[in-house]
Every structure is written in structure tokens, then in C-alpha cells.
Amino acid sequence: MHETPTTSFSEEPSNNPAIHIVYECVLQERVRESDSYVYELACAIMYPATTGHLSLRIMSTHSYRRSSPKEIPFTRHATGATTYVELLDDEQLEARIVAPDGTYSKAIYYAHGQELLEQYARQVVSTIQRI
């Protein structure tokens, strides 16, 4: 198993939201195009769900040329939210949590080369685990 970073999910600071992603990378064969990968992600996002707004979306690296980002549905619960997401190679997952006072936490994950990497984080603790 591969886990990034070394901070465990249970040790996150209580002030910052925590995002735990478990994913599998599956080879998708295409007839006329080259092979590509599909990243199947299970996400658990821990934050006070009653006090914030959560936005999840998928963006391609060239989304400004293709189409607008795709919103991802999620299930809320008392301590946050959960969702299942499929990403293609070179797509990004953005998670944004906005507090009532306007402050926000944000993390962007990038799928490439059979790895899901944290590309950017602002006041978010992340763990990424490949199965």
C-alpha cells in the first residue's frame, strides 16, 4: 500500500478539515486510442457539516478550453461528507470547504501515471491510500 503524507487520518488537527482518499487505478483499454487509466476514489471528508459549505468538482488540466468543471454529488453526515469519484488520467479533483465567515479550506488532487497526488492544500490535512 502507498500512503501520502505520513500524517495519519486519526491524528489530524481538530481545527482543519481532513480528507481521506482511498483509490484504485484501473487500466481502461480503448480500441482506437492508447490505453488510459481510471482512478476510482472513495473520499471521506471530515469537517463540521452544519457550519460549512462543501464543493467537490472535477477539472481537466485544460478545462478552460473544453468544458466547465463537473460538480460531484456527495452524501452529508454529522461530521462531514462521503463520495465516490472516477477520474481519468490528467484530471483533478478539487475539494473546497467554505465556513460561514467566508474563510475556506481547499485541496486539489491530480491523477497521473497511476498515482493520485496532492497538488495543492490550504488548511486541509490529507491522506491518500492506494489499494
Side-chain angles (χ1 to χ4, degrees), residues 30-93:
R30 297 181 178 173
V31 177
R32 295 181 191 178
E33 300 175 30
S34 63
D35 294 342
S36 65
Y37 291 94
V38 173
Y39 302 75
E40 298 177 350
L41 286 64
C43 301
I45 302 156
M46 307 302 282
Y47 72 102
T50 57
T51 62
H53 171 74
L54 174 63
S55 169
L56 293 169
R57 61 188 187 165
I58 295 174
M59 304 173 292
S60 102
T61 54
H62 302 291
S63 63
Y64 63 94
R65 291 185 185 166
R66 293 185 185 164
S67 62
S68 59
K70 181 175 83 173
E71 294 294 320
I72 301 168
F74 51 87
T75 303
R76 287 189 185 270
H77 48 78
T79 59
T82 55
T83 191
Y84 170 81
V85 181
E86 287 186 356
L87 294 179
L88 299 176
D89 235 358
D90 295 328
E91 284 187 322
Q92 297 171 324
L93 170 65

Side-chain angles (χ1 to χ4, degrees), residues 9-10 20 22 24-25 31-32 36 39 52 64 81 89 98 100 115:
F9 189 58
S10 61
H20 180 63
V22 177
E24 183 175 14
C25 189
V31 177
R32 295 181 191 178
S36 65
Y39 302 75
Y64 63 94
D89 235 358
V98 182
E115 294 293 327

